[in-house]
Amino acid sequence: MAGSAFALLYWGRDQTIRGDELAYAARLASQPFDHAVLHSPPNNYFIALPLLLYHAMFDAFGLAADLPSRLVVTALVLLCAGLFFVLARRRVGDLLAVPPTVLLLFFGSGWETVITPVRIPSLIAVAAGLGALIVLERRDRRGDIVAAILLTASVASHPVGLSFLAGAGVLIVFRPWPQPWRSAWLLAFPAAVFGAWWLFFRAPTTDVIFPTRPIDIVQFAVDSWTSITAAVSGLAGVLDEPTFDQTIAQIVAAALFASLVVILVMRRFRVPASFWAALTALVVLVGSTRLSPGGFLRSPEEVRYLYPEGVLFLLVLTELAAVARVRGWAALALTGVLVLGLVYNVDRLRDGGATVRLNSQEALAQYTVYEMAGSSLREGFKPSDFFPTAGAYADAASRYGSVTEPAAELAAAPAVVRQAADDALAGSFGLALHPAQGLGSAGSQVPRVVHQLGARVVRGQGCIRLQPSRPASGVAPTTVPLNPNPSRKAALRRLLRGEAPPARSTAPELAELAPPNGGLRLSAPDISKTAILVGRFASPPSAQLDRPERAHFGTLRLPADGLTLPWRVIVASSEPVTVCGLSTR
């Protein structure tokens, strides 16, 4: 366990709050505490217990400190592995319980869960659920009381808890009569807590675009079984993604399922309740994942699902090994497979850590830019569809402290980080090409041509004209997509109507310009077919701006933010574009 703790903390170092964790901070900062804990946003979960923990950590350490939350994550991973070992050793003994436990300690297939604070809710749910399964085997009043408390904690932390509630129900049903009836209360209490939240506090979900059919759940379950089989065995390390579409993975997963069925048939009178409880929990977990409003968008290989699935999958395999009385060479072969899986998962854990650090650098760059925008911040800006808004960061930072770095350090950051900073810069200031009535009077400064890319430049009074030129023979021009971020909703509507996706329109780059401080005015036959990319940190500029439709003239005003780094603008079009300087106001 010490080795696991060191690896998790080392590979998970240098993190910045982001994603759901930032959304939790904004929720706690901007709402009354009881409302924030009980009223989840639409399509979000009941996570009351983890929110209490997040609230305590944010109040004590602020947003910038990542070590306290990573220590919590590491402790929860070790706790889950320890509880799993307790269950496994009761079935197959200490020796055979060690390999799957070690695999869970380094389960890189679910790296987002085991090294980032974002998935603390599911870790709490898994730990509480495993604890409940352990104490239920006591079959006494004290054990039932503790189990009821743990199951309530599990369902109040994450929907994963519903899987353990279902597994606990199987254990209760298999008790000798009349114990199932007398013990039903321990299931009723956590179910009532979750039901009360569902009926009285849950926000309405958004409309379901694709209703879930029974066949969809079955297919998702099959793909999930294939994915987790490949992840645990290490087969995923030698196959292309998605692994559930690879024939070898499907054959191995089918062979494992067939072995499960054969063993159950042969030992049908000796299968314990604990096996059915683990299998039921796994089935409920996979089914509920697909049944959610956004289930049609979910992939069985998403790392956030693989850790809880891996825990229950390995628990099912352990129970199956006990039913089959695995010994000798069979036990050695099973251990060998798990060792191969361990090698793959350690590698995935290391790669996941690198991904987290890069994502954290991008988030830090975005927050730095948000603070640069100050009162000009466009709070509704989102770096991507599933990220919190700039306003969410502002709310969290106003209460728990900011998370930034010196803007000058962004210049030395990796290219993808500098591009993220430029995208946030354009978005947080609300930069766009706005329609204009004409070119008006030119500014005192003419835009300076930094790089002449695919245009012939004609200079005039206060303006330049970029005339597309024919590229040299055999040299393909650099082009820019005119719609780099198509609407997902529009794409789904086209899919529903059975329409083909629209053709991807591009425009050749004409020139990179250094604009005057005020900005630019542009004229083109159709501004909607002219791409404008701006930036200050990335080279070349990469943040493409919105532009008006069916207009001949456009205005780009650049904010005065005190930075010494100059703006750069790339103009891309298949048609001539006139660019003039804009005077500061």
Side-chain angles (χ1 to χ4, degrees), residues 103-150:
L103 182 57
L104 287 177
L105 287 170
F106 297 89
F107 199 70
S109 296
W111 56 262
E112 188 177 71
T113 302
V114 299
I115 62 174
T116 77
V118 175
R119 302 301 166 200
I120 283 177
S122 61
L123 280 173
I124 294 176
V126 170
L130 289 173
L133 296 183
I134 291 172
V135 297
L136 278 174
E137 295 185 358
R138 292 167 54 102
R139 295 193 178 185
D140 59 16
R141 178 53 63 91
R142 181 177 297 179
D144 286 355
I145 292 174
V146 175
I149 295 172
L150 289 173

Side-chain angles (χ1 to χ4, degrees), residues 152-175:
T152 303
S154 188
V155 299
S157 297
H158 194 273
V160 168
L162 297 175
S163 308
F164 288 96
L165 183 61
V170 172
L171 292 179
I172 297 300
V173 168
F174 271 78
R175 287 181 176 181

Side-chain angles (χ1 to χ4, degrees), residues 376 378 381 422-434 518-519 532-536 543-547 555-561 567-569:
S376 301
R378 187 163 66 98
F381 168 71
D422 280 341
D423 287 339
L425 193 65
S428 58
F429 277 106
L431 298 186
L433 195 62
H434 297 286
I532 304 298
L533 293 83
V534 302
R536 305 180 89 165
Q544 187 169 160
L545 304 183
D546 292 336
R547 54 194 180 274
T555 299
L556 168 62
R557 293 195 177 276
L558 298 174
D561 51 20
W567 287 94
R568 292 288 185 265
V569 176

Side-chain angles (χ1 to χ4, degrees), residues 213-530:
R213 303 167 299 173
I215 188 61
D216 296 327
I217 300 175
V218 172
Q219 185 61 58
F220 190 84
V222 171
D223 291 343
S224 295
W225 179 266
T226 305
S227 296
I228 196 63
T229 299
V232 166
S233 64
L235 192 59
V238 295
L239 297 177
D240 294 331
E241 294 182 352
T243 54
F244 57 79
D245 275 345
Q246 306 305 314
T247 303
I248 295 177
Q250 293 169 348
I251 292 173
V252 172
L256 178 61
F257 186 78
S259 300
L260 183 150
V261 172
V262 169
I263 292 171
L264 293 182
V265 170
M266 294 178 61
R267 302 278 186 173
R268 56 187 177 277
F269 298 118
R270 300 177 184 176
V271 180
S274 55
F275 171 84
W276 297 114
L279 184 61
T280 299
L282 180 59
V283 170
V284 170
L285 175 61
V286 173
S288 61
T289 301
R290 183 59 180 85
L291 278 169
S292 66
F296 69 95
L297 293 172
R298 295 180 170 179
S299 167
E301 283 196 327
E302 290 187 37
V303 291
R304 56 179 168 157
Y305 306 138
L306 288 178
Y307 180 80
E309 285 180 13
V311 171
L312 292 174
F313 179 81
L314 288 170
L315 196 57
V316 168
L317 292 188
T318 301
E319 294 282 355
L320 190 65
V323 172
R325 297 179 181 177
V326 171
R327 300 290 187 274
W329 287 105
L332 189 61
L334 181 60
T335 300
V337 170
L338 294 180
V339 168
L340 291 175
L342 177 63
V343 173
Y344 164 70
N345 276 275
V346 168
D347 188 60
R348 285 285 291 154
L349 189 61
R350 181 184 58 200
D351 291 345
T355 299
V356 168
R357 289 191 294 279
L358 182 60
N359 292 342
S360 293
Q361 283 185 278
E362 292 180 15
L364 187 59
Q366 290 160 356
Y367 305 155
T368 300
V369 168
Y370 295 163
E371 302 234 355
M372 286 168 46
S375 60
S376 301
L377 178 67
R378 187 163 66 98
E379 296 192 353
F381 168 71
K382 299 174 72 172
S384 69
D385 289 344
F386 300 106
F387 275 57
T389 63
Y393 168 77
D395 288 340
S398 67
R399 175 166 180 177
Y400 301 118
S402 63
V403 188
T404 61
E405 64 179 338
E409 293 185 7
L410 288 175
V416 65
V417 175
R418 287 182 277 123
Q419 290 171 358
D422 280 341
D423 287 339
L425 193 65
S428 58
F429 277 106
L431 298 186
L433 195 62
H434 297 286
Q437 296 300 318
L439 281 177
S441 58
S444 58
Q445 285 185 287
V446 180
R448 181 170 61 87
V449 178
V450 179
H451 296 294
Q452 190 171 329
L453 302 174
R456 183 169 58 88
V457 179
V458 180
R459 291 172 172 81
Q461 184 175 3
C463 302
I464 58 173
R465 182 176 175 83
L466 304 177
Q467 181 74 41
S469 58
R470 190 173 295 178
S473 177
V475 178
T478 302
T479 59
V480 173
L482 290 176
N483 188 17
N485 301 304
S487 165
R488 295 193 180 194
K489 290 183 178 179
L492 288 172
R493 292 193 192 100
R494 284 181 171 274
L495 186 60
L496 284 171
R497 294 194 294 261
E499 299 176 1
R504 188 178 178 89
S505 300
T506 61
E509 293 182 351
L510 299 181
E512 180 179 339
L513 309 177
N517 292 334
L520 299 171
R521 286 187 186 273
L522 294 91
S523 171
D526 187 350
I527 286 291
S528 68
K529 296 179 180 178
T530 301

Side-chain angles (χ1 to χ4, degrees), residues 54-105:
Y54 281 121
H55 175 68
M57 290 193 296
F58 294 149
D59 265 346
F61 307 108
L63 300 183
D66 70 315
L67 182 58
S69 56
R70 290 195 294 115
L71 288 172
V72 170
V73 172
T74 301
L76 286 169
V77 172
L78 299 184
L79 177 60
C80 289
L83 294 171
F84 176 90
F85 180 76
V86 171
L87 283 169
R89 73 187 300 193
R90 292 179 180 180
R91 311 293 182 255
V92 295
D94 290 355
L95 194 59
L96 280 181
V98 168
T101 302
V102 173
L103 182 57
L104 287 177
L105 287 170

